[in-house]
Amino acid sequence: MSEQQVLVTRRMPPPAERLLRGAGFAVEVIDSEEPPSRAQFLSRLRGKAGLLAMLSDCVDAEALEAAGPGLRVVADYAVGFDNIDLAECTRRGVRVTNTPGVLTDATADLAWALILATTRRVCEGDQLVRAGGWRGWSGTQLLGLQLSGATLGLLGVGRIGTAVGLRSLGFGMRVLYTDARVNDELEQQVAARRVGLEELVTQSDVLSLHIPFAPESRHLIGAREFDLMKRSAVLINTARGPLVDEPALVAALRAGNIAGAGLDVYEDEPRLAVGLAELPNVVLLPHLGSATTATRERMSAMAAENVIAVLRGSDPPNPVN
Ligand code: DGY
């Protein structure tokens, strides 16, 4: 019997390739830091039994067709799996897995990096100094938002939203959250209060998004919400870009309807909405939520373990279908 082949669609930390080869599979890595073209992705997928996919690989009916009937598992190297047509995979008997839990702390830390950078105007200050525009200490320069006493609003308090909320303790913030479920941990540890979306949007000084993307949540934060937000508030998005109507965000920032935004994710990555990059009051990161060495190594091992389990005929440790 010929070796089962696994496609890894990007260069990644070593555990995955080592584990997959050690388990006896033939591994093909698209050895690049950049996403493959769609044509390259589809052609390399042909005949594979396993796919270790990145969140930017769109695994839809066309991709599954290109892979052929031998494909048995799609292991996403991410916790969010909105890049995968889950129903189509299930219909074809393809198992889908993700990497939950291991990236919670890294992503929550990054959300706080954005909260601090945005409210305290860190990047604007850095640019001023680098450009030689600083003329000495000023009593009124780059004034930001004080976090102590301010309200942190969390839209979604799953693992990552909860971790972001717990980190607020050291900053003395009032915490509100919107979620389908009561979160006892946040209510007990940081006296968080559960509210509806409108109250969350209206009351927050820092509104941070932590829900997965699904068609129903597309543009959940748009022109209406920006009108409801405080003019001094900032929006933080480390979840998924399409949760936010990006052109409406640009308009709200330009009009001064909100004070700033810290974004790690975008509607159409890696493209940005027209005008976004020109705004001084935004901090823009290239989807770095899980990007620590330790986290990415654990994600790499986890994704490989999911592939190995399915190809050996067992249930994967992290199934999503
Ligand atoms: C994920 O895993 O879904 C994150 O967006 C990665 O940063």
Side-chain angles (χ1 to χ4, degrees):
M1 203 173 84
S2 66
E3 265 181 330
Q4 296 194 88
Q5 293 182 14
V6 177
L7 177 67
V8 178
T9 66
R10 214 84 85 258
R11 188 178 301 156
M12 62 191 299
E17 197 176 335
R18 194 181 59 238
L19 289 169
L20 289 165
R21 288 194 200 284
F25 301 111
V27 184
E28 194 175 306
V29 180
I30 302 181
D31 188 24
S32 168
E33 294 245 312
E34 287 170 22
S37 69
R38 181 72 177 168
Q40 190 188 13
F41 172 59
L42 295 180
S43 84
R44 299 284 287 266
L45 196 49
R46 194 150 300 129
K48 302 296 185 295
L51 168 62
L52 202 160
M54 310 296 131
L55 53 83
S56 50
D57 300 322
C58 173
V59 185
D60 55 6
E62 182 190 37
L64 297 169
E65 201 55 43
L71 185 70
R72 290 167 58 200
V73 57
V74 177
D76 226 17
Y77 180 64
V79 66
F81 47 87
D82 49 288
N83 57 312
I84 298 173
D85 185 338
L86 206 57
E88 191 60 28
C89 285
T90 306
R91 198 178 70 73
R92 292 171 185 251
V94 176
R95 298 301 302 268
V96 178
T97 67
N98 67 344
T99 60
V102 295
L103 48 76
T104 301
D105 285 331
T107 309
D109 290 349
L110 194 87
W112 273 96
L114 283 174
I115 292 171
L116 288 162
T118 308
T119 57
R120 298 305 304 273
R121 308 178 66 179
V122 169
C123 297
E124 287 172 85
D126 178 84
Q127 277 156 22
L128 181 78
V129 174
R130 279 174 202 277
W134 187 38
R135 300 279 169 259
W137 191 86
S138 153
T140 53
Q141 196 167 46
L142 292 177
L143 303 185
L145 174 80
Q146 173 119 351
L147 290 180
S148 54
T151 298
L152 171 65
L154 301 168
L155 178 52
V157 287
R159 293 184 196 87
I160 297 170
T162 300
V164 171
L166 293 175
R167 281 161 171 70
S168 73
L169 197 56
F171 291 94
M173 296 183 80
R174 180 172 85 111
V175 181
L176 300 178
Y177 71 97
T178 297
D179 198 283
R181 277 185 290 249
V182 171
N183 187 311
D184 290 327
E185 191 179 7
L186 278 180
E187 296 203 358
Q188 282 158 22
Q189 307 270 337
V190 295
R193 191 163 65 81
R194 184 165 163 250
V195 295
L197 181 60
E198 188 156 326
E199 187 175 347
L200 187 86
V201 167
T202 313
Q203 298 264 322
S204 297
D205 295 298
V206 175
L207 176 62
S208 191
L209 310 185
H210 302 286
I211 54 173
F213 174 67
E216 318 78 77
S217 53
R218 183 167 184 275
H219 290 184
L220 197 60
I221 305 298
R224 180 176 169 275
E225 289 67 34
F226 293 126
D227 281 345
L228 288 173
M229 283 172 76
K230 296 179 187 175
R231 291 175 76 84
S232 55
V234 301
L235 174 76
I236 305 296
N237 191 4
T238 52
R240 283 293 180 267
L243 297 172
V244 176
D245 179 341
E246 243 173 47
L249 172 64
V250 172
L253 287 162
R254 272 196 188 133
N257 288 346
I258 66 170
L263 307 176
D264 188 41
V265 291
Y266 306 88
E267 273 205 82
D268 184 22
E269 296 179 8
R271 280 167 285 278
L272 303 183
V274 175
L276 188 61
E278 282 77 59
L279 293 166
N281 49 344
V282 292
V283 178
L284 305 174
L285 296 181
H287 205 147
L288 294 177
S290 61
T292 70
T293 306
T295 291
R296 289 280 170 87
E297 282 177 355
R298 291 179 72 194
M299 289 166 68
S300 173
M302 223 165 151
E305 281 154 10
N306 281 312
V307 171
I308 293 166
V310 175
L311 296 187
R312 283 184 172 163
S314 310
D315 275 334
N318 310 104
V320 296
N321 70 347

